[in-house]
Structures are given as C-alpha cells and as structure tokens.
Amino acid sequence: MSSCANKKDIVDPEQPPITELDATGLVYASSPFIFWDKEITLQFDFSKGNGALKASAADLYMHAGLIATTGGDWQHVLTDWNKNDNTYKLQFVSIGRYRFTLNPATFFKLNKGTDFGQIALLVRNADGSLVQRNRDGSDLFLPLAGENGAIGFLSPVAQPTSPLLAEDNYNVGDLLTLKVQASQPGTMTLWDNGVQIALENNVSLLEKKLSLQIDGMHEIEARLQSNGKVVSSKMQLLVQAKPAIAALPAGINPNGITIDRTKKQVSFALTAPLKKNVYLLGDFNSYKATSAYAMSQTPDGKTWWISLSDLDFTKPYTYQFLIDGQQYIADPYAELVLDPQNDPALGTKIANLPSYPQGGRGIVAVLDLAARPYPWKVSSFVKPAAGDLLIYELLVRDFVKQHQYATLKDSLSYLKRLGVNAVELMPVQESEGNSTWGYNPSFHRALDKYYGSKNDFKAYIDACHENGIAVILDVVFNHAFGQSPMVQLYADNTNVSGDNPWFNTIARHPFNVGFDFNHESAYTQAFVKDMLTYWLKEYKIDGFRFDLSKGFTQKNSGTSETDLSAWNAYDASRVAILKQYQQHIHNLDPTCYVILEHLGGEQEEMELAQSGMLLWNNMNAVFNEAAMGWNSNNGSDLGRLFASSHGMSQPSFVSYMESHDEQRLLFKCLNYGNASGNYSIKNLNTALARMEQVALFLLTAPGPKMIWQFGEYGYDISIDENGRTGEKPILWDYLKQDKRKQLFEVYAALTRFKTKNSIFRDGKLIESGMKEAMKYFLLEKDGQQVGVLGNFGVTSADFALPQALRSVWQNNFKGSTLDWTNQTKASLQPGEYLLVSKTKLNK
C-alpha cells in the first residue's frame, strides 16, 4: 500500500466519483479515495459482513486506528472501547444503516499521515456486546490514498478486508465486469493472477469484461502508472467449479490428518455438509486456492478430502481451509495451531514453533511431519482404585510462575510429600486468549501453547506415572467459543446458524457460556468420541472430568439461573449420552476414570454412579459455614459426605470443599469467621487450625476426594482477586510460616491414613452426627473402627459420647490411648478434633 499524503499532482478529490458503484458493500465512501487531510463520509450497511448490527437502530460507536504502510497492528488508537464518546458516535440513517464523517488528520490528531496505508476500524453497540466485523471475523480496513496517487475497484464490490476480497463468489463461465478508477490520469492496467488482461493510456477509468474459465482464487490487480510512479490495488475473488465427487478412500480418517509414511502421503479431511466447495491452503501452495487443491466431496455431501504426495517429511507445514471462497478456518482436528493475535505474547517460550505463514488468514493449523515420537518410560501405569483417589485440582497458570509443563514436572516431589495420587488439570486445550481458566475452548484437540509443547506435556504425564500419580484431564464438551472452526463454519451474524451440525442456536440449559453443543447430534457424538480417543491414545490420560455434564441435554430447561428444577429433573436422553461416552472410553481403557461435574438430581446421579461414573460432590457451602463457626439451622451439615445421604450404597462421588470455582475457605474465615471472647476465627492461626479440622472430616469420610491447589497450606486470596478467572498470586513462601507448614503436615498425614487404610475407601458408616457444632462419625470395616470428632463451635463444649464410642481408642495424631469405657462425655475445645481408632492406623 502506498503511503498517504497531500494531493499534489492528484486530481481534486472533492469532485464527485467518475462513476457510481453498481452495488454497495459493508462500507461505501462518499469519495472514491480517502485523503489524509480531506473530509469524507463513510456509509455503513450492517446487513453485510458478519451482520452483527443489521437490526440496529441504537447508538453505535466507532473504534479506529491506523495501519502502517509496512503492515502490523493498530496504531494511534484514540477511541476508548469502554467509553461511549459522542465524538465517535455514528449517525443513524435507517435500520442497520449508519454514516460517519471524518477528516483523518483531525480524527487521529496527526498532521502527517505518510507512514500509514490503512484505517482500521470496528463498530460496536453501547455495551460492546455486538461488534460489526467482516464476514470472516476480521477487522475493517480502508485504504488511504498515497502521495503517488491511488487506484481502486468500483466493480466488483469488495469487502473491507486486507487484502480485499470480493463480496460475492463467481462460477466458471461467468462474465465479470471489472471497473477501476484512478485518482489521476495515467496508464492503467488490469492483471489476473499475474497475466495482463487490459491496458489503457492517459485514462482515469478502466473497464474490462473478463470471462472466468479457471476455478480457484483469482488475484485481480489494478495498476496506475503516472508521473513515473506506480501504485496498485489487489482484490481476490473465488471462481467456483462443481467439486469432484469421490468416496473417502479406505484408511483415511473422516476428519483431520492421516499420514501414510510408507506411501509418503498425507490426507486432509473435513466434515462440512452443505458447503459448495473447499480448498486446502498451506505453505505447500503459498496459500493460494487453485484447482489442484480443490478438495473432493464424498457422495453423501458430508466430508471433504484431498491427498498430497509431494510433501517434505523433514519439515513442518501450516495449513487451513477456504470454505466457499469466504471463510478461512483452521482444521478443527489440529493438534497445534498458530494464532496471530495471541501467539506474539508467548515470546520464545515454545521451542521450534513455526513462524506464522505469509498468506494465512486468522488461525492456521500446524502439521509437523518431522516430529519425533516421545519415548515413554512408563508404558502401562496401574491407576489407584477409584475409592482411594486423592485428587489435586491444579491450574498450571497459577501453580508455577513459568506456567510451563517442564517446571510443573519439578513440583511432583511436593505433591508426593503431600500424598495425593492424582492430579486433575484444568483444561489444557487451546482456548481463546493465553491466560485463561481454559473453559473457553476453541480447538478441543490442540494443546494450549501457553503451557508448553506436546512432548513437555507427555514428559509431565510420564513423570506423574513414575511417581504413582494418575493424570485426570478436565474436558469441556458442553460448549465451544467463537474461534472454534465448527462455530465459524455455520455462523449467522453473532450466533451459529440453524444448519450447524454441532451446536444449538439457543442454549438448552442454564449456566451456558459460548455456543451450546447438541449432544443428540451424531456429528457432536462423533466429535466428542474422536477427542476422547485422541487424548487417551496420544497422551495416556488416566481419566476425564467432564465440565458441566448436566448441560449435555436437548430438553429445553430455559436459561434461568434461579429456578433449576427443570434442568435438575431426570433426563433419560442425557443419561444415555453420558453412558455412550463412558462406554466409548472404557472400550479403549476399562480402568479410565469418568468424573462428571453434574450436580444433578439424585435419581439421575444414582443411575450414572451405578454405571461406574464418579460425580462431583460440592461441599463448599457447608464446609465454609463449619470452618467459620456458624452452625445454626443445619447450615454446616456435613452429612452429604456419606453415600447413604445420596441414596447410594458406596460413595461414587468425589467430595471437595474447594475447587477452582468456589471461594477459598481461609479467606471466608479471616473475613467472616465467628468469635467468642478471645477465640476468633478471624485470627490467622486460629483459622489455620480450623483448616486442619475441616481437612480431617473431608479426607476421612469414605470415597474419592479432591483438594484444590494450595488449600493444603491455607491459601487466603479471594477467588475474585484480579477478576474471578484472573491470575492469582503464587505464594510458595507461605510454607515458610510455621502454622501453614503444620497445616501441610496434617494434610500429608491424612492422605497417608486414607491411602493405607481401606476403611477410608469403603468403610461402613455406623452412626454420625453432622448437623450441630459438635460433629462426629464412626466407621467400621473388617474389625477396625474409626471415629472422627470435632468441635466446630467457638466455645468449649462437652460431647455426649454415644454408646458406640464408649470404649478404648487410639488417638492417631497424638499417639496416646483414650479410655472412654466408663465416660458419658468428652470435653473438646473450640476447633479441637480427634481421629481415633480401635487399633492404630497404618501411616
């Protein structure tokens, strides 16, 4: 793009256009060229592009910047996205049509614009929830006239993309009218894919009829030579031919990449029913859509595929698909993607990452034919029994400062000392942005580069297995976000269209974010199974935690977050779907854990549990009340720790008092804890002692358990610090404090007790009292009995010993003997707890 300048030796830009456009696009300017120091009116038709504002009659605001002649990101952005400034408010014309008048020099407050070649802009509504973009989701770009003149297209109408893309597609045999206009007379030429097709001297308007005979993407270039200088403008347009119809060859996957190293052949496949044509673009063809890279369509119209036999197996490639000449998407089955918007912030942390390709648009997939397989040290890991699970939920970003798998691997000695036998990683798949919780997925098969490479992740899993620690992966199949190719393939403005094979246009349940998967769709079921297969086989994952599994429903229960009765009601279809996924997993690995964040009705949870799945059991609210010392009205009832309270014979649930999604107990104690006299739970040491007490009750109740990271030393930073999902301080120095170190040691003792004494796996509950301030329960198995007692009040109290506890007991924390044979009560100080057993527990 030529640099912009004043109008010396250029025709007066205030004269009307030589000719009117045959049709208008998303943006139509009152003058054919935008000069730096002249006023121009931009007219917007928001039915074009992504159509986000096509029905708008409300206030809309422009967000604008400048792009250097050398390219790059936005510069000189004076507009504030979060501020509705009337200076940048568009003028309403009619529904979906607006205008805005500006003088670039005045608007950007710069006298000279010679370094800039484009204005970049977006238009949003008042709260920023709707943003007008191009059809492909890109920003809007308007060329600036340069000091050597300018030339532009009048026909066909172009989208304001960079480079320009024709508004419409064409078919082989069409006769296309090309009209171009120059800012001053000179020699004008037109070129089609580098071949000159028209030339006129001493003109400022050129028209050419072009018969389109070759399919693929055509690059039409218009050039103006005047005063010894040449300026040009390029537009891309797709010429369509009917696709070849051919069955998918045997052995080629219906999605993603199939590599045949024997034949030196790579096949690409994409599910995209109802599309007219698909081209494969990549480094191997300079990202140009030509007939040689037109993909074949299967007879059922669902799958597009192509096989290449001329790739170099010693290097990586990047690639993407061009859909119907308008959409550029990365492979939904990519194992690694390059994101030009977010990757630059990663710096050089990811070794051997290919450079973003010239010619790519948006996110591209990576195909690394030279990748070496990881040499696994542990080929067959024996997982802990489900009932013995002590899961440590972990967000890599907020656990180690470098947020890298290599560093995370070094922390395994810490988890070994703590005594957990499983880690549950919050989502590590590619999500939107870099620093996230991961619940906004865009590529369910690609590893998020923010945390490191594939082999780094495999080395971490391998090291976990060497240390007897299972790896459970948090997977998000309730929804996907807007960067997902499967969302973009069938999009309607800011929503998915009704013909999207994977997603619902309207979420069928409360608490949905992103775009809601339709799990009754065969397309979605195939996709989920493919993803599960990949993570199991490629990374030797030991289990999956399904995020928001109650959302796997097509029964419309509304989106109200206050009345959940319809959503919680038994849903036979949802149960069948989850069982189907479980069966698929167990066909591959019968010992793989299947854990659901279901939090549903008991009938449904019982049926899922009976099939062998584990259910999340959120005990945060009651443990918070107990820890804070507020015990009235059954607010601290811990009875749901036991299978019988769920109508189950065995604890088929993972109980926890903290997770990524709940407020931290110690924070609540320090800010809202109860007090009596000199005893105050708002005191740090007192609150830390209460953390020991709640840990005892959680970890000794039978069944699988989960700890949220750093709960073992009393993490006291609010979940809302820096925003709920924002980065939190990593406070390893806390372990230098005596009371926090003591809390860690109590946790470590409890984990050893749990894993070395089977009574904590499936012991029988003899009796309990979990509602009042004085809480207790008694377990029995194989002649062993264990009693757990605690005073959750804020004053000393006498505990009336039930008959079953009037015996001789071993005090497992103090190593002493308690003879309660002739006692009717035991006195406990506030916060005091006891773990007693008939015979000493193994540790």
Side-chain angles (χ1 to χ4, degrees), residues 803-821:
Q803 189 62 45
L805 282 171
R806 296 178 189 178
S807 182
V808 178
W809 298 92
Q810 302 300 314
N811 186 336
N812 286 281
F813 275 111
K814 293 188 177 180
S816 59
T817 299
L818 295 172
D819 188 351
W820 288 342
T821 305

Side-chain angles (χ1 to χ4, degrees), residues 381 383 542 586 589-593:
F381 174 64
K383 304 176 184 65
D542 302 301
H586 284 169
D589 179 359
T591 65
C592 183
Y593 311 116

Side-chain angles (χ1 to χ4, degrees), residues 423-531:
V423 292
E424 181 176 299
L425 297 174
M426 286 173 66
V428 298
Q429 298 86 353
E430 190 72 42
S431 57
E432 299 199 354
N434 289 324
S435 176
T436 77
W437 273 7
Y439 295 105
N440 54 341
S442 49
F443 290 84
H444 287 75
R445 202 171 186 245
L447 196 66
D448 193 335
K449 302 178 295 298
Y450 184 73
Y451 298 131
S453 69
K454 286 181 61 176
N455 280 355
D456 287 342
F457 188 41
K458 290 177 180 179
Y460 172 73
I461 295 170
D462 214 8
C464 283
H465 289 169
E466 285 184 300
N467 284 276
I469 296 174
V471 179
I472 299 167
L473 192 62
D474 199 338
V475 288
V476 186
F477 294 122
N478 174 77
H479 57 268
F481 270 62
Q483 282 186 345
S484 165
M486 299 187 305
V487 170
Q488 295 176 2
L489 267 171
Y490 303 87
D492 182 11
N493 302 328
T494 57
N495 196 6
V496 293
S497 57
D499 58 355
N500 192 301
W502 299 280
F503 298 98
N504 294 311
T505 56
I506 299 174
R508 295 296 198 270
H509 60 87
F511 296 103
N512 188 73
V513 293
F515 299 94
D516 182 36
F517 270 113
N518 171 6
H519 282 274
E520 290 185 0
S521 163
Y523 290 93
T524 298
Q525 292 174 8
F527 173 76
V528 172
K529 291 174 185 177
D530 286 347
M531 298 302 107

